[in-house]
Amino acid sequence: MIKRKGLEGLFDGRHFDREIIILCVRWYLRYKLSLRDLVEMMAERGLSLAHTTILRWVRRYTPEFVKRWNRFATAVGRSWRVDETYLKRSGAIR
């Protein structure tokens, strides 16, 4: 069984700060930016990245972020109903 790492242990041994990694992964998933767009955005901030680096971050950290998010997400009921409204017209169909 794999033991869950703390937030600090999750980013051990990485070249970039965890804030940069989280920011790139979040922007990629939330705003549907391309990897090359993210590279340009990080270059404007003075960081030199390759698009494959961001792709590796997305593949590595997305499952862990989903696990952590699901712990705080509220469960929705299993059944739900939609009210149906319709109009019945009398007369000829036009």
Side-chain angles (χ1 to χ4, degrees):
M1 185 172 354
I2 299 173
K3 185 178 176 184
R4 269 199 186 168
K5 297 179 180 178
L7 190 59
E8 291 298 325
L10 196 61
F11 299 99
D12 283 347
R14 299 294 171 185
H15 179 72
F16 291 95
D17 292 337
R18 71 177 180 173
E19 289 82 16
I20 301 298
I21 296 171
I22 292 171
L23 188 67
C24 287
V25 173
R26 190 181 89 200
W27 282 354
Y28 179 78
L29 296 174
R30 173 62 179 97
Y31 297 110
K32 304 297 181 192
L33 297 169
S34 72
L35 297 171
R36 295 182 194 269
D37 288 340
L38 285 171
V39 169
E40 288 179 20
M41 293 169 72
M42 292 298 119
E44 290 174 357
R45 289 164 176 77
L47 295 170
S48 177
L49 289 172
H51 67 279
T52 55
T53 301
I54 299 174
L55 178 63
R56 279 188 243 121
W57 290 345
V58 169
R59 288 183 178 171
R60 164 68 176 91
Y61 293 109
T62 298
E64 186 65 32
F65 292 163
V66 169
K67 283 183 206 173
R68 290 171 186 265
W69 170 253
N70 286 339
R71 287 192 295 170
F72 298 106
T74 58
V76 178
R78 292 184 181 214
S79 68
W80 55 277
R81 292 165 180 74
V82 175
D83 293 334
E84 296 180 18
T85 304
Y86 65 95
L87 299 173
K88 185 176 181 180
R89 289 183 64 189
S90 61
I93 299 175
R94 297 182 185 181

